Each structure stands twice: as structure tokens, then as C-alpha cells.
Amino acid sequence: MTDDGRTRCSWAVGRPGPDFDMYRNYHDQEWGRPLRGGVALFERMSLEAFQSGLSWLTILRKRDNFRRAFAGFDAEKVARFTEADVQRLMADSGIVRNRAKIDATIANARAVAELGSAEDLSDLLWSFAPPSRPRPASESEIPSATDESKAMAKELKRRGFRFVGPTTAYALMQATGMVDDHVRDCWVPSPR
């Protein structure tokens, strides 16, 4: 139970303040809600890659800066980034300045562009969504990767995507509502 009387997943509970309010709002309004659309999914994929090894709160704090730095996560625009853009990004203290993650985001934008008109990123990612299952009773029941996330990561890598291993793929599935990993007692309504 929290200060507003709602039960939440334990990772979204903390001391009141701007950072925890941001985290709680992300939990309550975004995490686990079905998300479709190429731009939105490219943003989440990119942010999940940048989060690897860091706190999600770090990414949330910098989210608006990431959006500005990466052209609103318009994959077609990011696919055209040059070495000059990479240098600009490496000098941008408003984002995570990790060369491998920046390069991966640009490579992933190019992979999205390669999908062409026959298939979009939304359809590709959602094709790996597993059937609905009951919510976990506790966070200890939540896996870090599944057969579906392993298959997603394998297919994405085959298509030239980078920084999308099985664990990152599963985190993407959780964040975008492909799986519902809110714990059973969490107040957030089940999206599926």
C-alpha cells in the first residue's frame, strides 16, 4: 500500500518526491500497457538498450533529452545520422553517452528502414507476444527472459538489430504490454 492507498509492483514504490513520482507515473500510466506504432516502439527499444546496466530512473530523467537528440525517435531520420551526429551525441550530457549504444540505436534505425513497407516494426515485435497468462503472484515469479524473448532477440539480430539480447527483448515486451508482469495485487488494470 502506498501514500495514495493503491497497491503497486514493489519496484514502483518509494519515497515521495519528483523522481519517485516520475517512476510511479511511468508504472501507473505506461509500463505494461499495450503500445503499438513504429516510432513509439523504436523509442522504447532504444531506451531499453540505453538502460542496460543502468537504473530505469536514469533513463526516465533523460527521456526528453533522448527524444530531442534522436529526432523524436523517427527511425527514418535516425537512419540517416552520420559520424558528425555521433560526435554530437557523444558530447550531449543530457543523454547516456555510450558509443556502443549510440551506434546500436543508429544501426537499429537502419534495420527498421530495411523492413520496408511490407512489414513494420510494430507487426514484427508483436508477432513474438505470447498468449495471455495469469499475472505473477510476486516479482520473484517474473523471468528475465522467455522462449519468446529469445526468439525475438534472435530474429532482430538476424535482421541487423543490435543491443537486443533476450533480457532486453523481454524488458521491451514488459514495457510495451506484450506481457503483463504487473503483480496480481497491483491496482493497474490488466491490459489484455
Side-chain angles (χ1 to χ4, degrees), residues 84-117:
D85 292 297
V86 172
Q87 293 308 313
R88 171 184 58 82
L89 294 167
M90 289 296 295
D92 188 340
S93 63
I95 66 168
V96 174
R97 294 177 288 182
N98 178 302
R99 176 70 188 237
K101 293 176 181 182
I102 290 169
D103 287 344
T105 302
I106 296 167
N108 292 349
R110 292 174 180 154
V112 170
E114 289 290 317
L115 293 175
S117 59

Short mmCIF file of all heavy atoms in Angstrom, two decimals, residues 84-117:
data_model
loop_
_atom_site.label_atom_id
_atom_site.label_comp_id
_atom_site.label_asym_id
_atom_site.label_seq_id
_atom_site.Cartn_x
_atom_site.Cartn_y
_atom_site.Cartn_z
N ALA A 84 29.16 12.82 -37.82
CA ALA A 84 29.00 14.12 -37.15
C ALA A 84 27.89 14.06 -36.11
O ALA A 84 28.01 14.65 -35.02
CB ALA A 84 28.71 15.21 -38.18
N ASP A 85 26.82 13.34 -36.41
CA ASP A 85 25.74 13.16 -35.43
C ASP A 85 26.22 12.35 -34.24
O ASP A 85 25.87 12.64 -33.09
CB ASP A 85 24.53 12.48 -36.08
CG ASP A 85 23.85 13.38 -37.09
OD1 ASP A 85 23.34 14.45 -36.70
OD2 ASP A 85 23.84 13.01 -38.28
N VAL A 86 27.00 11.32 -34.51
CA VAL A 86 27.54 10.51 -33.41
C VAL A 86 28.39 11.38 -32.49
O VAL A 86 28.26 11.32 -31.26
CB VAL A 86 28.36 9.31 -33.95
CG1 VAL A 86 29.08 8.60 -32.81
CG2 VAL A 86 27.46 8.35 -34.72
N GLN A 87 29.22 12.23 -33.06
CA GLN A 87 30.04 13.13 -32.24
C GLN A 87 29.17 14.11 -31.46
O GLN A 87 29.46 14.41 -30.29
CB GLN A 87 31.06 13.88 -33.13
CG GLN A 87 32.11 12.97 -33.74
CD GLN A 87 32.80 12.10 -32.71
OE1 GLN A 87 33.23 12.56 -31.65
NE2 GLN A 87 32.90 10.80 -33.00
N ARG A 88 28.12 14.60 -32.08
CA ARG A 88 27.17 15.49 -31.38
C ARG A 88 26.55 14.77 -30.20
O ARG A 88 26.46 15.30 -29.09
CB ARG A 88 26.08 15.95 -32.37
CG ARG A 88 24.92 16.70 -31.72
CD ARG A 88 23.83 17.05 -32.73
NE ARG A 88 23.25 15.93 -33.44
CZ ARG A 88 22.29 15.12 -32.97
NH1 ARG A 88 21.81 15.29 -31.75
NH2 ARG A 88 21.81 14.14 -33.72
N LEU A 89 26.15 13.52 -30.42
CA LEU A 89 25.53 12.74 -29.35
C LEU A 89 26.52 12.43 -28.24
O LEU A 89 26.17 12.46 -27.05
CB LEU A 89 24.93 11.45 -29.93
CG LEU A 89 23.76 11.67 -30.89
CD1 LEU A 89 23.44 10.40 -31.65
CD2 LEU A 89 22.53 12.18 -30.14
N MET A 90 27.75 12.13 -28.60
CA MET A 90 28.77 11.84 -27.59
C MET A 90 29.08 13.07 -26.72
O MET A 90 29.53 12.92 -25.59
CB MET A 90 30.05 11.32 -28.25
CG MET A 90 29.94 9.93 -28.83
SD MET A 90 29.63 8.66 -27.57
CE MET A 90 31.15 8.73 -26.62
N ALA A 91 28.81 14.24 -27.24
CA ALA A 91 29.05 15.47 -26.49
C ALA A 91 27.82 15.94 -25.72
O ALA A 91 27.89 16.92 -24.96
CB ALA A 91 29.51 16.57 -27.45
N ASP A 92 26.70 15.26 -25.88
CA ASP A 92 25.43 15.67 -25.27
C ASP A 92 25.31 15.10 -23.86
O ASP A 92 25.00 13.93 -23.67
CB ASP A 92 24.28 15.18 -26.16
CG ASP A 92 22.93 15.71 -25.72
OD1 ASP A 92 22.78 16.15 -24.55
OD2 ASP A 92 21.99 15.66 -26.55
N SER A 93 25.51 15.95 -22.86
CA SER A 93 25.44 15.49 -21.47
C SER A 93 24.01 15.18 -21.02
O SER A 93 23.82 14.61 -19.95
CB SER A 93 26.05 16.53 -20.54
OG SER A 93 25.32 17.74 -20.60
N GLY A 94 23.03 15.49 -21.84
CA GLY A 94 21.64 15.22 -21.49
C GLY A 94 21.22 13.78 -21.73
O GLY A 94 20.13 13.39 -21.33
N ILE A 95 22.08 13.00 -22.41
CA ILE A 95 21.77 11.59 -22.67
C ILE A 95 22.87 10.72 -22.08
O ILE A 95 23.85 11.24 -21.54
CB ILE A 95 21.61 11.31 -24.18
CG1 ILE A 95 22.94 11.51 -24.92
CG2 ILE A 95 20.51 12.18 -24.79
CD1 ILE A 95 22.94 10.96 -26.35
N VAL A 96 22.72 9.42 -22.20
CA VAL A 96 23.77 8.49 -21.82
C VAL A 96 24.76 8.46 -22.97
O VAL A 96 24.41 8.08 -24.09
CB VAL A 96 23.19 7.09 -21.54
CG1 VAL A 96 24.30 6.08 -21.29
CG2 VAL A 96 22.21 7.14 -20.37
N ARG A 97 25.98 8.86 -22.71
CA ARG A 97 26.99 8.97 -23.75
C ARG A 97 27.81 7.69 -23.82
O ARG A 97 28.93 7.62 -23.33
CB ARG A 97 27.87 10.19 -23.52
CG ARG A 97 27.07 11.48 -23.67
CD ARG A 97 27.89 12.69 -23.38
NE ARG A 97 28.16 12.77 -21.95
CZ ARG A 97 28.84 13.76 -21.39
NH1 ARG A 97 29.32 14.74 -22.12
NH2 ARG A 97 29.04 13.78 -20.09
N ASN A 98 27.24 6.70 -24.45
CA ASN A 98 27.88 5.40 -24.61
C ASN A 98 27.95 5.14 -26.10
O ASN A 98 26.92 4.98 -26.76
CB ASN A 98 27.07 4.33 -23.88
CG ASN A 98 27.63 2.95 -24.03
OD1 ASN A 98 27.78 2.44 -25.14
ND2 ASN A 98 27.91 2.32 -22.89
N ARG A 99 29.16 5.11 -26.65
CA ARG A 99 29.34 5.00 -28.10
C ARG A 99 28.67 3.74 -28.65
O ARG A 99 28.01 3.79 -29.70
CB ARG A 99 30.85 5.01 -28.43
CG ARG A 99 31.19 4.80 -29.90
CD ARG A 99 30.79 6.00 -30.73
NE ARG A 99 30.93 5.75 -32.14
CZ ARG A 99 31.67 6.48 -32.96
NH1 ARG A 99 32.36 7.50 -32.53
NH2 ARG A 99 31.73 6.20 -34.24
N ALA A 100 28.81 2.61 -27.97
CA ALA A 100 28.23 1.36 -28.47
C ALA A 100 26.71 1.45 -28.53
O ALA A 100 26.08 0.97 -29.49
CB ALA A 100 28.66 0.18 -27.60
N LYS A 101 26.10 2.09 -27.54
CA LYS A 101 24.63 2.21 -27.52
C LYS A 101 24.14 3.23 -28.55
O LYS A 101 23.09 3.03 -29.17
CB LYS A 101 24.16 2.56 -26.11
CG LYS A 101 24.40 1.43 -25.12
CD LYS A 101 24.03 1.81 -23.71
CE LYS A 101 24.32 0.65 -22.75
NZ LYS A 101 23.91 0.97 -21.37
N ILE A 102 24.90 4.29 -28.74
CA ILE A 102 24.56 5.27 -29.78
C ILE A 102 24.65 4.61 -31.15
O ILE A 102 23.73 4.72 -31.97
CB ILE A 102 25.47 6.50 -29.67
CG1 ILE A 102 25.13 7.31 -28.42
CG2 ILE A 102 25.37 7.38 -30.92
CD1 ILE A 102 26.13 8.39 -28.06
N ASP A 103 25.76 3.92 -31.40
CA ASP A 103 25.92 3.21 -32.68
C ASP A 103 24.81 2.20 -32.89
O ASP A 103 24.29 2.05 -34.01
CB ASP A 103 27.29 2.52 -32.75
CG ASP A 103 28.45 3.49 -32.94
OD1 ASP A 103 28.22 4.65 -33.32
OD2 ASP A 103 29.60 3.05 -32.69
N ALA A 104 24.44 1.48 -31.82
CA ALA A 104 23.37 0.48 -31.93
C ALA A 104 22.04 1.13 -32.28
O ALA A 104 21.28 0.60 -33.10
CB ALA A 104 23.26 -0.31 -30.63
N THR A 105 21.76 2.28 -31.69
CA THR A 105 20.49 2.96 -31.98
C THR A 105 20.42 3.37 -33.45
O THR A 105 19.38 3.20 -34.10
CB THR A 105 20.32 4.18 -31.06
OG1 THR A 105 20.37 3.73 -29.70
CG2 THR A 105 19.00 4.90 -31.32
N ILE A 106 21.53 3.85 -33.98
CA ILE A 106 21.57 4.22 -35.40
C ILE A 106 21.45 2.98 -36.28
O ILE A 106 20.69 2.97 -37.26
CB ILE A 106 22.83 5.04 -35.71
CG1 ILE A 106 22.80 6.37 -34.93
CG2 ILE A 106 22.98 5.29 -37.21
CD1 ILE A 106 24.12 7.12 -34.91
N ALA A 107 22.17 1.92 -35.92
CA ALA A 107 22.07 0.66 -36.68
C ALA A 107 20.65 0.11 -36.62
O ALA A 107 20.14 -0.39 -37.63
CB ALA A 107 23.06 -0.36 -36.12
N ASN A 108 20.00 0.22 -35.47
CA ASN A 108 18.63 -0.27 -35.34
C ASN A 108 17.67 0.55 -36.18
O ASN A 108 16.72 0.01 -36.77
CB ASN A 108 18.21 -0.29 -33.87
CG ASN A 108 18.97 -1.33 -33.07
OD1 ASN A 108 19.67 -2.18 -33.62
ND2 ASN A 108 18.85 -1.26 -31.75
N ALA A 109 17.91 1.85 -36.26
CA ALA A 109 17.07 2.69 -37.13
C ALA A 109 17.23 2.25 -38.58
O ALA A 109 16.24 2.19 -39.33
CB ALA A 109 17.46 4.16 -36.97
N ARG A 110 18.43 1.92 -38.97
CA ARG A 110 18.66 1.45 -40.34
C ARG A 110 17.99 0.10 -40.57
O ARG A 110 17.46 -0.16 -41.65
CB ARG A 110 20.16 1.40 -40.62
CG ARG A 110 20.76 2.80 -40.67
CD ARG A 110 22.26 2.81 -40.81
NE ARG A 110 22.72 4.21 -40.84
CZ ARG A 110 23.91 4.60 -40.47
NH1 ARG A 110 24.83 3.73 -40.07
NH2 ARG A 110 24.22 5.89 -40.52
N ALA A 111 18.00 -0.76 -39.55
CA ALA A 111 17.31 -2.05 -39.65
C ALA A 111 15.80 -1.85 -39.77
O ALA A 111 15.13 -2.57 -40.52
CB ALA A 111 17.66 -2.93 -38.46
N VAL A 112 15.27 -0.88 -39.04
CA VAL A 112 13.84 -0.56 -39.17
C VAL A 112 13.55 -0.10 -40.59
O VAL A 112 12.58 -0.53 -41.22
CB VAL A 112 13.40 0.53 -38.15
CG1 VAL A 112 11.99 1.04 -38.46
CG2 VAL A 112 13.48 0.00 -36.72
N ALA A 113 14.40 0.76 -41.13
CA ALA A 113 14.22 1.24 -42.51
C ALA A 113 14.26 0.10 -43.51
O ALA A 113 13.55 0.13 -44.52
CB ALA A 113 15.28 2.29 -42.84
N GLU A 114 15.07 -0.92 -43.24
CA GLU A 114 15.17 -2.08 -44.13
C GLU A 114 13.91 -2.94 -44.14
O GLU A 114 13.70 -3.72 -45.06
CB GLU A 114 16.36 -2.96 -43.72
CG GLU A 114 17.71 -2.35 -44.01
CD GLU A 114 18.01 -2.30 -45.50
OE1 GLU A 114 17.74 -3.27 -46.21
OE2 GLU A 114 18.52 -1.25 -45.94
N LEU A 115 13.08 -2.80 -43.11
CA LEU A 115 11.85 -3.60 -43.07
C LEU A 115 10.97 -3.28 -44.28
O LEU A 115 10.25 -4.14 -44.75
CB LEU A 115 11.08 -3.36 -41.77
CG LEU A 115 11.74 -3.84 -40.49
CD1 LEU A 115 10.90 -3.42 -39.27
CD2 LEU A 115 11.94 -5.34 -40.49
N GLY A 116 11.02 -2.04 -44.72
CA GLY A 116 10.23 -1.66 -45.89
C GLY A 116 8.76 -1.54 -45.58
O GLY A 116 8.33 -1.57 -44.44
N SER A 117 7.98 -1.44 -46.62
CA SER A 117 6.54 -1.22 -46.45
C SER A 117 5.77 -2.52 -46.21
O SER A 117 4.63 -2.49 -45.76
CB SER A 117 5.98 -0.50 -47.68
OG SER A 117 6.22 -1.29 -48.83
#
